[in-house]
Amino acid sequence: MPPPAAARSAFRISATTALHRGDRAYQQDQVVIVPHARINGCALAVVADGMGGKSGGRKAADQVQLTARQLFERFVPSEDAAAQMLSQLVTESHLMIKLTAITAEEEPHSTVAAYLVLPDLSCEVVHAGDSRVYHFRGAEMLWRTTDHSFVQRLIDEGKLTEEAANNHPQSNLLTGCLGTHADPPVALCRIERLEPGDTLLACSDGLWHYFTPKELGAIVHALPPREAGEMLVNKARQRARGGGDNLSLALMRFEALK
């Protein structure tokens, strides 16, 4: 995907997605990166981790992807507010998932983690649940989203360390997501400017659960995006030892042209 005209002499943007069923019977994650059809240097990345059984979770994740594509197709960067579009992505997906549940026996739910890169190389991020977006500069993590989960609440209250959270018996208990009776959290963040050497990574908990931020940063910095995605999936599968969840990622790197 070419960068915007103003930055074309300085940047190249490369991207990849990866998806794996893990050791589960069904694939309920969905992931997509969509370049804007009319605007160079504008792209949307979305990871949705569906929950709700054989078909419910996949229906929920599919609805997130469908809603994202529909909203992004109408999005005009010079006229529309990116944060508002991402907020709509969460709220409209939530509504559609709840409507789907009325005619289904399942109770479909989904997380969402999405980032929208704009032509001026700023970036808007939204998430709900425990799928994450990471921002790396080189191998260093500058920032990541904060999970809407029970263990994150314990961490915030000083009752649990980050290291202990992954092994907590209730590590998969969410305090907010799409499709529940309560309104979903709409957590927005803005990255003012992406620089050469930056990487954005959106991923489900089936991936990030097996890595420290330092490990993630080292891999996305050392390898081209496609190879980095493959290594992350393979290492997560090895570390799961036959007990891995669905996993998905959407990775975008910003590089200086030589």
Side-chain angles (χ1 to χ4, degrees), residues 53 104 127 134 183 185 258:
H127 84 288
Y134 292 83
D183 289 338
K258 297 178 181 179

Side-chain angles (χ1 to χ4, degrees), residues 86-233:
L86 291 180
S87 179
Q88 281 184 271
L89 166 57
V90 174
T91 56
E92 291 187 17
S93 297
H94 171 67
L95 176 60
M96 294 308 298
I97 292 168
K98 289 185 72 175
L99 290 174
T100 300
I102 293 173
T103 59
E105 294 181 4
E106 301 89 359
E107 294 185 5
H109 301 153
S110 182
T111 70
V112 62
Y115 57 87
L116 172 55
V117 176
L118 297 165
D120 63 358
L121 290 173
S122 64
C123 178
E124 298 285 351
V125 176
V126 71
H127 84 288
D130 63 354
S131 292
R132 294 179 177 177
V133 175
Y134 292 83
H135 179 202
F136 297 98
R137 181 151 295 162
E140 179 185 1
M141 187 185 78
L142 297 185
W143 171 85
R144 73 160 173 87
T145 53
T146 302
D147 304 335
H148 301 115
S149 67
F150 176 71
V151 293
Q152 183 63 53
R153 183 178 293 173
L154 295 180
I155 292 169
D156 294 343
E157 294 172 352
K159 298 176 181 177
L160 191 69
T161 65
E162 290 271 2
E163 294 73 21
N166 276 0
N167 297 316
H168 193 280
Q170 293 175 300
S171 61
N172 62 347
L173 181 61
L174 300 185
T175 57
C177 65
L178 283 60
T180 60
H181 295 296
D183 289 338
V186 182
L188 293 160
C189 181
R190 177 177 173 84
I191 300 170
E192 292 296 335
R193 173 80 179 182
L194 294 160
E195 301 290 345
D198 282 10
T199 300
L200 295 172
L201 173 67
C203 59
S204 63
D205 67 318
L207 185 89
W208 64 252
H209 181 87
Y210 297 103
F211 297 95
T212 65
K214 186 174 182 180
E215 289 176 320
L216 289 173
I219 292 170
V220 302
H221 177 59
L223 297 172
R226 182 175 178 180
E227 286 83 348
E230 290 174 351
M231 176 170 279
L232 288 171
V233 169

